[in-house]
Amino acid sequence: MKLDDKITRMKGIGPKKAEALGKLNIATLKDLMLFFPRDYEDRRNKTSISELTEGRPAVVTGKVALVVADRYKYGRKQLLRLLISDDTGTIEVVFFNAKYLLKRFQKGHEYVFYGKPVRSFGKMQMVHPDFGDAGEMNAGILPVYPLTKGITQKEMRSWQLSIRTLYADAEDFLKAEIREKNRLCSLSYALENVHFPQEKQKLLEAKYRLVFDELLVLQAGLLLARQDMGEVSAGIAFSKDAKTDAYINSLPYPLTGAQARCVREIEKDLESGRMMNRLVQGDVGSGKTAVAEIAMYKAAESGFQSVLMAPTEILARQHFDGLCKSFAAHGIAVGFLSGSMKAAQKRETLEKLKTGEIEILAGTHAIIQPEVEFAKLGLVITDEQHRFGVGQRMKLKEKGNNPNILVMTATPIPRTLAVILYGDLDVSVIDELPPGRQPIVTKSLTPKSRDKCYGFVQKQLAEGRQAYVVTPLIEDSDVLDAKSAERTAEELSGRFPAHKVALLHGAMAQAEKDRIMAQFYEGEIDILVATVVIEVGINVPNATVIVIENAERFGLAQLHQLRGRVGRGAHQSFCFLILEGESEIAKKRGEIMEASSDGFYIAEEDLKLRGPGEIFGMRQHGIPDLNIADLSKHLQIFHHAKETAKDILQDDPSLASVENQELKRRIAKLFGEDFSLNL
Ligand code: ADP
Ligand code: MG
């Protein structure tokens, strides 16, 4: 037998079994070899019956004291009950529909059982345990494989046993040098010990190696996929002499520890000569903009231009205002560009960009238009990245000669996912808020409290503050029983006759949205009734209340993002979640929102509530299902694997060399057909 043989070459595997194995993605002996246990049964230590703990699987040896074949009271199930005893006590063993076992057990004989004890009517019980004659049952650490219909655990174990001698033939696709550097055992050792572990320590070594392999294959695949887009490349090195201290010292506050760390990471990238491609994740108000400004300062000191692109006109304008204030004292020229500018003004800006007179440019998508040319673009920053497609980012990049890229986002993506989704991006996390922030008071309410809630809004308005009200729908729907922005705006206009209520939603033209937002920003509007379009980035420090209607219809990450619209000024802010219905998950979300304001914590909780199916159902993002690695547990290994993948691809960018053929095959296998890698 050879590893490349079809599994039907094996004794006991005919077309039927082969088909079932196909469902597990096993076609060859090699596939079988790389099909790993999902768990293990430790049958090395026997437990005496009196020591059994409910729920903890154990091996017991005992004599059959009584055999009873029964009919199940309320059904047609056959029931076989054994009373098993050792010196310390007795336990009941139960089999359903297993009359054939009646002959198997003899009163007074000794047998071994392995199973999970449960308590039933006060008695310890094992249901359908594995069993054998005393001394006969396999007593090591046994693998437990994932199964599919038509294949039993016993079969899988015996097949693995029959190809065990082939493990030694498995080609180790990692060079000794890489293995040593990452302290990895050999592949054959790993295979032997993952399928047939003799002791825990060896199993751990084996798993480490195999998890590393899978994550390396994943990472190499992601890098390869992105290579087409030219994202792994040489870049522009900024000068080591371009110090940022002068700028940092001119800030009216000291950087937080997280900001300082993030700045160091960015500076290292910028000086490296490799193109920077970094994602800065930080909760709303964590001070990402300050970090971006420091990077732009370094660019200017190194003689390069920077752009800061925002998804909306108003956000871009806010950035422009901020940048002007920050850089005026340093004599650095800041410009602005958007689609709605007057032609003459635009022409002037374009000219100044071309000559390099403007050193820092803030703007909207208008920046990626063909007529925009730079003298020496060195740094591209996008704010609220998830609003931009990859294509737009690429276009922006083409404005320079591989400029450094910094992406800022406040969307709380769990760290684990960020690394995967943005595989090629390095990630910096600002996980600390500047000191002295007042947490936003958050309350989840039932509809009964709606009047009281708006009564509270009234008081805030009377004090000169402003409010957001968010609804899931734009207009009333026949199908969905949920608040609409249009209807709510009408109702609130009636309720607050002395105040100006306005409407904002995604179906409105961008210019109209910008106009409304600007009015709200200027304080001409008191209550802004909106759909989730306000989710992103807008900064109105005077707004102190946000009411979210039908909050049960929003995910945690979204609720958190919406809440971030308030709490941006000196005043205490409030968030009210009005929950309709009885949904448990919605209640849980409300509790989490009340308890925490940490976006990363909330995002992780969101993942937990959704269950792992969602995390790993991410094929649409090009992330394949993993076999042995678990990204929520193995992030550390992932980082090592990532470095190794980068090294390998640097030496052999298209995996053309003979020694990388196995890696290439594994990538193709992991990603499958629906992921075109151009291999
Ligand atoms: P983000 O872009 O992450 O939402 P910003 O950079 O806009 O956050 O910062 C939010 C506010 O906090 C701004 O008013 C900024 O001046 C202030 N800020 C930023 N960093 C600090 C700091 N280290 N200490 C105190 N205030 C800070
Ligand atoms: Mg911001």
Side-chain angles (χ1 to χ4, degrees), residues 153-172:
Q153 199 58 251
K154 261 202 176 108
E155 284 172 324
M156 196 60 108
R157 283 176 186 158
S158 78
W159 294 331
Q160 287 293 352
L161 200 59
S162 55
I163 62 164
R164 188 173 181 177
T165 51
L166 297 182
Y167 295 167
D169 300 344
E171 182 196 347
D172 201 324

Side-chain angles (χ1 to χ4, degrees), residues 16 63 119 136 186 245 302 436 499 566 657 679:
K16 263 241 167 71
K63 281 193 182 127
R119 205 172 276 286
E136 185 200 65
S186 74
D245 305 351
S302 305
H499 294 286
V566 299
S657 74
L679 281 174

Side-chain angles (χ1 to χ4, degrees), residues 600-674:
F600 294 102
Y601 168 81
I602 291 173
E604 301 283 354
E605 290 301 305
D606 196 28
L607 279 186
K608 278 190 215 155
L609 279 183
R610 286 180 188 178
E614 280 284 316
I615 316 178
F616 297 108
M618 298 202 86
R619 291 196 72 99
Q620 66 272 31
H621 295 285
I623 311 298
D625 296 330
L626 297 172
N627 184 1
I628 192 167
D630 176 346
L631 288 161
S632 59
K633 288 190 209 140
H634 300 137
L635 203 59
Q636 204 53 42
I637 308 180
F638 187 74
H639 286 304
H640 296 304
K642 188 173 173 179
E643 288 312 306
T644 305
K646 277 186 185 164
D647 290 344
I648 292 175
L649 283 169
Q650 199 150 32
D651 292 345
D652 183 7
S654 57
L655 299 183
S657 74
V658 178
E659 61 181 19
N660 285 329
Q661 291 317 293
E662 174 63 14
L663 174 60
K664 200 158 141 178
R665 273 194 294 273
R666 287 201 185 204
I667 293 170
K669 169 125 176 126
L670 179 67
F671 283 87
E673 283 158 15
D674 47 327

Side-chain angles (χ1 to χ4, degrees), residues 251-257 259 280-293 319 383-384 408-410 430 433-435 437 537 539 565 568:
L251 291 172
Y253 44 74
L255 294 181
T256 63
Q259 280 173 315
V280 173
Q281 265 197 69
D283 235 334
V284 167
S286 61
K288 295 182 294 297
T289 310
V291 168
E293 285 176 2
H319 275 314
D383 191 8
E384 305 298 351
M408 302 192 288
T409 180
I430 307 185
L433 289 180
R437 290 282 161 83
N539 190 18
R565 296 311 102 216
R568 305 176 75 88

